[in-house]
Amino acid sequence: MSHKPILPSRPAAIIFDFDGVILDSAEIKAEAFAEIYSGYGQQWREPILSYQRLHGGISRREKFDHFDKQIVGSAPTVERLALLSKRFSEIVFEKILAAPFIPGARELLEKATARSRLFVVSGTPQQELVEVIRQRALDHYFELVIGAPTKKREAFARILHMGLSRETVVAVGDSITECSAACELGIAFLGIRGGPSPTAFPEGIVTLPDLRDASNLLGFGSLPPS
């Protein structure tokens, strides 16, 4: 991640992570992982929360695989992964539908929607991600929504192949996962450092605590909402 592309002004496309970037829902999911493994002892709570905060961009099935190996002592079966994922969705879904927006997120979407192509790339399972975005009435903002099992780098590359030049694209996220994917592909990255344990992004990455200053930073500040 040595090369850090410069943030473009009024980018042709913006690729958003979802939890912790558009909705203030990252901690909802961190707490859900801790709840699922609470029966194994409270000593696992902080390691679980720390891992989730650091690796927010990977799929929940990858996280369950990691947690089971660390906590249970063995890799989960396909059946157990399905049960864990179902339990996780039951815990988080309604809470995410009620989660507030990250400050500045709605303003950025409104100002950028007619001027940039907007995308969501998230570690949330595809079907669940699409349903949350639909129920939150956000689907009209986004040209394409990509969730798990597609990896972040693969999703970013797919978007670039939709007639976009990497110099005109910016990715916005709150974890190292999407930062690494963007930098590897030469896409500018804006890091969001919110929540109780903000990500320590590499030197040279532009960061904000939320999206309140993002409209100005990306050149949309003087423009009226679309």
Side-chain angles (χ1 to χ4, degrees), residues 14-32:
I14 306 174
I15 305 171
F16 292 93
D17 183 24
F18 194 70
D19 297 303
V21 173
I22 292 176
L23 291 187
D24 192 2
S25 47
E27 277 302 293
I28 291 172
K29 294 190 172 183
E31 290 290 344

Side-chain angles (χ1 to χ4, degrees), residues 18 23 89 93-94 96-98 120 124-139 142 145-147:
F18 194 70
L23 291 187
S89 294
F93 190 76
E94 293 299 326
I96 289 172
L97 291 182
V120 168
T124 299
Q126 177 74 23
Q127 185 176 350
E128 183 178 316
L129 178 65
V130 168
E131 185 61 16
V132 168
I133 288 173
R134 185 189 70 80
Q135 290 205 34
R136 292 299 300 257
L138 299 172
D139 45 331
F142 303 113
V145 172
I146 305 176

